[in-house]
Amino acid sequence: MDSRRRVPRTDLVLADPRLVATAGRLGRAIVKDAVAQAQRRARQGEIGPEEVADAAVAALPPYATSMRPVINMTGVLLHTNLGRAPLSSAAIASAAAAAGSADVEFDLATGARARRGRGALEALARAVPAAEDVHLVNNNAAALVLVATVFAAGREIVISRGELVEIGDGFRIPDLLISTGARLREVGTTNRTSYADYAAAVGPETGLVLKVHPSNFRVEGFTGSVEVAALAGLGVPIVVDIGSGLLAREPLLPEEPDAAGVLKAGADLVTASGDKLLGGPQAGLLLGRRDLVERCRRHPLARALRVDKLTLAALEATLRGPATPLHEALRADPAALGERAGMLADKLAGAGIDARAVSSEATVGGGGAPGVTLPSAAVSLPERFTVPLRTGAIPVVGRVEGGRLLLDLRTLPVDRDDDVMRAVLEADG
Ligand SMILES: *Cc1c(COP(=O)(O)O)cnc(C)c1O
């Protein structure tokens, strides 16, 4: 008989108790998709008709989102394609707590409306006492749009030619600024800009002077730029985009500017990302002079750029909570990483896999700390493991180097070694 005729009907397959249970948890549409896929395989003769229900169960996704959690072993701490900073468990729990109805704009004591996200704002203000006031938006790009709109729409932004930066994926800060209706008044040259260049350009048309941290490249040789402190007397708002979101100096990354240091040096406003070196959720931070922050907050555009309750909860927990996974990764002791790599490699070799521990170099990534390498350790596997590991039940993403797949331990939380071990054994099957 034609096997296509014998492919069980959708309603019969859907009655399988395992699929009924999953439909309750993930929704019927996802289960139906899995069933349809299994029926297709049966029609093509890949599986027998009696295997359709089992195949559908095996194909069920773990979540109602198609986005999958991934184990980042690329050695890139802030991997843009893998969602930048991984949240701390405190931040994850806080976001989950805020996910239902929550008092995001409500005072439980009085029953009256309250300031949206006040806990996150207070935590940020407390973390940077040098800031008179703080505001939060969707990301750093949004912070720049808001600042450019409020202070320079129809006017000029004075900016060094050495700081006209492309952040990545075609995102160019000058294009973003111009989109607000501001005009760029470029000063200096690619490699050198002096105080006199800024002073000559500042005038009645100036809305603000913007300094952008060249986060993802370095200029070497005959170079010169102007410190924030030197610009502070120009009589117009000095805005500094520090990019990374470091709030205070990080000794491991001496070249990275921090919000407190830049404000103390005389910046009027600082903008930064929440999901780079701050180690939190995607967000844009605005810190600085009270009157300027207030003008940003009151602008109609602020509403379009506001952050949601999940972000507010996760950011507050990042600021107040325990060390973030990013900071753990940044500070990890190379010797300890080597030991973990050695133990993993030994166990895998014991299972007959060509695994060995090698030294490695990790990077910060996320368009930050260019040229900085962090000594690390990796498990080196045959390259053929790359695809099975990436597409396994728990996807593990490493990096291919010299014909080997390297799984870098620096980006792996200490409690995940066993998960990686299992994933590699499965990928070997
Ligand atoms: C990353 C970065 C941005 C963009 O920040 P998002 O939070 O991704 O919008 C802007 N400026 C600098 C200097 C950056 O490094």
Side-chain angles (χ1 to χ4, degrees):
M1 195 168 90
D2 183 352
S3 70
R4 283 183 294 188
R5 295 258 173 80
R6 293 191 291 122
V7 171
R9 278 182 12 223
T10 305
D11 53 344
L12 291 181
V13 185
L14 282 173
D16 183 294
R18 296 168 296 174
L19 295 175
V20 172
T22 307
R25 209 161 44 81
L26 302 183
R28 214 172 142 79
I30 286 172
V31 176
K32 278 175 91 170
D33 283 350
V35 170
Q37 187 192 322
Q39 287 170 320
R40 241 184 338 265
R41 290 181 62 198
R43 244 174 254 124
Q44 286 161 0
E46 266 178 57
I47 55 175
E50 69 291 348
E51 291 173 294
V52 168
D54 286 348
V57 168
L60 287 172
Y63 307 98
T65 170
S66 58
M67 215 187 291
R68 302 284 301 280
V70 165
I71 295 183
N72 173 14
M73 297 190 78
T74 58
V76 181
L77 271 55
L78 294 167
H79 198 293
T80 302
N81 303 148
L82 299 180
R84 285 197 188 157
L87 295 183
S88 66
S89 42
I92 293 169
S94 300
S101 296
D103 62 345
V104 60
E105 285 185 31
F106 186 72
D107 185 330
L108 290 168
T110 63
R113 183 175 185 155
R115 186 178 184 198
R116 184 181 177 86
R118 56 209 174 280
L121 292 164
E122 280 162 22
L124 181 58
R126 212 172 312 143
V128 188
E132 290 175 7
D133 202 355
V134 298
H135 181 60
L136 293 170
V137 288
N138 188 48
N139 57 12
N140 192 9
L144 287 170
V145 162
L146 187 57
V147 166
T149 304
V150 170
F151 302 107
R155 304 179 69 201
E156 288 181 354
I157 296 175
V158 177
I159 185 168
S160 162
R161 292 197 171 88
E163 297 175 12
L164 299 169
V165 178
E166 174 169 328
I167 297 302
D169 197 25
F171 166 51
R172 293 177 168 175
I173 288 183
D175 296 345
L176 183 81
L177 296 171
I178 291 168
S179 77
T180 66
R183 295 187 304 276
L184 294 191
R185 178 77 182 264
E186 300 175 12
V187 298
T189 61
T190 306
N191 55 328
R192 285 175 75 85
T193 302
S194 67
Y195 175 78
D197 295 323
Y198 284 101
V202 168
E205 279 299 292
T206 307
L208 62 96
V209 171
L210 180 63
K211 279 196 63 72
V212 178
H213 176 55
S215 359
N216 52 8
F217 68 100
R218 281 196 305 200
V219 200
E220 282 172 26
F222 186 55
T223 64
S225 62
V226 182
E227 296 290 323
V228 173
L231 296 174
L234 286 172
V236 292
I238 308 299
V239 180
V240 181
D241 171 12
I242 59 168
S244 81
L246 274 188
L247 300 183
R249 227 178 71 75
E250 169 56 66
L252 288 170
L253 303 171
E255 307 274 304
E256 283 296 307
D258 63 280
V262 168
L263 286 170
K264 279 188 202 132
D268 296 297
L269 278 180
V270 169
T271 74
S273 296
D275 54 347
K276 291 184 180 173
L277 290 173
L278 184 59
Q282 180 189 303
L285 320 181
L286 252 168
L287 313 100
R289 250 170 66 187
R290 190 181 311 283
D291 57 329
L292 303 185
V293 173
E294 184 65 15
R295 279 177 65 191
C296 291
R297 186 171 23 241
R298 293 202 177 284
H299 192 279
L301 191 56
R303 170 59 189 245
L305 306 177
R306 81 175 191 183
V307 289
D308 89 321
K309 61 186 178 179
L310 302 183
T311 303
L312 291 167
L315 186 65
E316 183 178 355
T318 300
L319 290 163
R320 293 158 57 118
T324 62
L326 177 89
H327 288 99
E328 305 276 10
L330 200 57
R331 304 217 175 104
D333 169 27
L337 297 173
E339 254 171 55
R340 287 167 65 196
M343 295 221 303
L344 266 171
D346 282 352
K347 284 191 208 161
L348 293 169
I353 295 171
D354 169 21
R356 42 186 193 260
V358 296
S359 62
S360 163
E361 279 187 345
T363 56
V364 172
V372 172
T373 55
L374 305 160
S376 188
V379 175
S380 162
L381 294 170
E383 193 177 341
R384 68 175 171 84
F385 278 90
T386 309
V387 175
L389 274 176
R390 210 172 58 216
T391 54
I394 305 175
V396 178
V397 183
R399 67 176 192 275
V400 174
E401 236 176 64
R404 301 280 294 181
L405 174 66
L406 299 190
L407 302 180
D408 197 305
L409 271 291
R410 194 178 269 275
T411 41
L412 183 71
V414 281
D415 57 353
R416 302 298 306 265
D417 291 18
D418 287 344
D419 291 334
V420 171
M421 162 92 173
R422 237 171 292 138
V424 176
L425 291 175
E426 242 167 67
D428 190 40

